[in-house]
Amino acid sequence: MGWFWADTSDVPTTSVATSKPPHPHALGGEPPAGCPMHNKKTIDAFSSVAPAPPSPPPASGCPVPHGNPSTNAALSLAFSSSCPINHGEIAASPKEQSLMSKLNPLNYMFHSISQERAPNQTVALPTERDESSIPKGTGDGNWEYPSPQQMYNALLRKGYTDTDVTAVESMVAVHNFLNEGAWQEIVDWERRFGKGLKRGWEISKRGEENAQLELRRIEAQEGGQKEHEEPTLVRFQGKPQEMTPKAAILQMLGKVYPAKFETEPPFDRHDWYVTRNVNGEKKEVRYVIDFYSGPPEPTGEPVFYLDVRPALTPTAAVERLMRWGGDVWWRASGGEVRESSGQR
């Protein structure tokens, strides 16, 4: 999804489905046909009584055989002791750019995607770009979403020449909607754990149903949410061909226990690199996002699930355990009943 953002410096009616793990967050919308995403090679030895001829220089080297004074004698008389070849010009000769050098390191897409109408394009597409709610890590505003024309050109550039041009505007709207949902999940996680594990546990220990209430209570004690520095998105990368360990485990469990775990593999995966303020210092946290398609609503509306969590590091492992464990313990131990009876 996010890979379509090409940054140089009517969302359709959707349904929202709630779900417990393995899919913690659900968003609805009309999906694209797929979230299309991202896809590299004898020297003859001569033995003779006669002196061996000098070996030819490499294509990028100097044609004068500097290493053999006897072969340079005639050239030395004609050109004195200086080499007639301008090595500076050779070093400055242009070389073909590699593919990675042509890509924007912030989103691994081409630095610019054309707004021009594609050849044989039968329907005009808007060129306006919507601004997201996602702040850039550079601090100069928010990331921008692609225009429908840029989306279409990007699809063609990646080889999806059978794309229905009339569906591109809906694809852009769904793309933007899912990215906004993913970012909101990240912001909520940072609000919970961005100021330390102890605070995160205080918010998580009464289960997910009470987490937002606990978060607002704690933020009010701290002086309000304004005191919390919002995270920013530094860069992101699409990895549709690399299944996350969690997604792979869920696929395996689906084969063993299909009634509970069976689901289609995620149709996309992204890694988002987010800033976190830790005691006044910026820390980069990598978030992993799996995009799932769910069974459609009875009305026919398709459903998407977003599984958003920090990548597994020692700190992130504790955060994930607190959030999952706090919710499981609260529900399994009858937390509401215990609190109402005065027990803790």
Side-chain angles (χ1 to χ4, degrees):
M1 314 312 296
W3 69 273
F4 281 115
W5 294 342
D7 192 89
T8 56
S9 51
D10 76 75
V11 176
T13 301
T14 55
S15 62
V16 178
T18 57
S19 174
K20 296 298 182 183
H23 306 304
H25 183 68
L27 296 169
E30 180 182 353
C35 187
M37 311 288 287
H38 346 282
N39 302 334
K40 293 178 220 294
K41 347 21 45 208
T42 55
I43 299 175
D44 296 326
F46 298 94
S47 57
S48 171
V49 293
S55 58
S60 61
C62 178
V64 177
H66 294 269
N68 191 339
S70 63
T71 59
N72 282 350
L75 288 174
S76 298
L77 292 175
F79 298 104
S80 185
S81 60
S82 63
C83 178
I85 304 301
N86 188 337
H87 292 269
E89 292 182 358
I90 294 176
S93 59
K95 296 182 180 179
E96 184 178 355
Q97 284 185 301
S98 66
L99 175 61
M100 290 303 296
S101 68
K102 299 177 183 178
L103 301 182
N104 185 342
L106 299 182
N107 55 14
Y108 297 91
M109 289 297 297
F110 291 97
H111 283 273
S112 63
I113 299 178
S114 174
Q115 293 273 29
E116 297 298 322
R117 188 166 177 158
N120 303 319
Q121 182 179 328
T122 57
V123 178
L125 291 172
T127 58
E128 293 78 18
R129 301 178 64 179
D130 292 333
E131 185 177 283
S132 75
S133 65
I134 307 173
K136 295 180 183 178
T138 55
D140 56 344
N142 294 351
W143 288 87
E144 286 186 318
Y145 291 122
S147 69
Q149 184 65 63
Q150 285 180 312
M151 171 78 85
Y152 185 59
N153 289 338
L155 291 170
L156 295 180
R157 195 167 187 173
K158 285 188 167 289
Y160 295 90
T161 55
D162 59 345
T163 301
D164 181 1
V165 67
T166 62
V168 173
E169 288 190 66
S170 295
M171 293 170 66
V172 171
V174 172
H175 164 270
N176 299 356
F177 181 59
L178 290 178
N179 278 290
E180 290 294 321
W183 182 247
Q184 188 56 55
E185 289 285 325
I186 291 173
V187 170
D188 288 346
W189 196 293
E190 287 297 308
R191 286 177 63 193
R192 186 182 301 203
F193 292 104
K195 291 187 177 181
L197 296 175
K198 181 179 179 181
R199 181 177 179 275
W201 173 245
E202 288 298 316
I203 297 168
S204 304
K205 67 181 182 181
R206 297 183 67 237
E208 290 299 294
E209 60 185 276
N210 296 305
Q212 289 300 316
L213 179 63
E214 289 297 308
L215 177 61
R216 289 193 293 270
R217 180 183 64 80
I218 290 176
E219 286 181 339
Q221 293 176 348
E222 295 171 341
Q225 184 179 347
K226 292 182 179 179
E227 296 295 321
H228 182 77
E229 183 174 342
E230 291 296 313
T232 62
L233 178 60
V234 180
R235 64 187 188 281
F236 53 90
Q237 184 177 13
K239 297 182 177 180
Q241 306 302 324
E242 299 181 29
M243 187 176 293
T244 62
K246 180 179 179 180
I249 292 172
L250 290 176
Q251 291 301 300
M252 182 177 62
L253 291 174
K255 295 178 181 179
V256 177
Y257 192 4
K260 183 173 179 60
F261 293 103
E262 185 175 30
T263 182
E264 291 293 320
F267 63 82
D268 201 2
R269 174 239 174 125
H270 276 98
D271 288 10
W272 288 14
Y273 297 82
V274 175
T275 59
R276 173 182 291 184
N277 190 314
V278 180
N279 298 324
E281 295 185 5
K282 297 289 185 181
K283 176 184 176 182
E284 194 171 274
V285 180
R286 179 168 66 96
Y287 277 82
V288 180
I289 308 168
D290 285 324
F291 296 82
Y292 291 90
S293 295
E297 295 284 358
T299 57
E301 294 174 327
V303 173
F304 296 122
Y305 295 91
L306 304 185
D307 189 355
V308 183
R309 70 277 185 195
L312 206 55
T313 63
T315 301
V318 176
E319 293 176 7
R320 290 164 67 168
L321 182 61
M322 282 183 175
R323 185 164 186 174
W324 174 80
D327 184 59
V328 171
W329 170 250
W330 179 258
R331 290 185 287 110
S333 63
E336 294 290 350
V337 176
R338 286 189 293 105
E339 283 198 347
S340 63
S341 62
Q343 301 175 4
R344 286 285 179 173

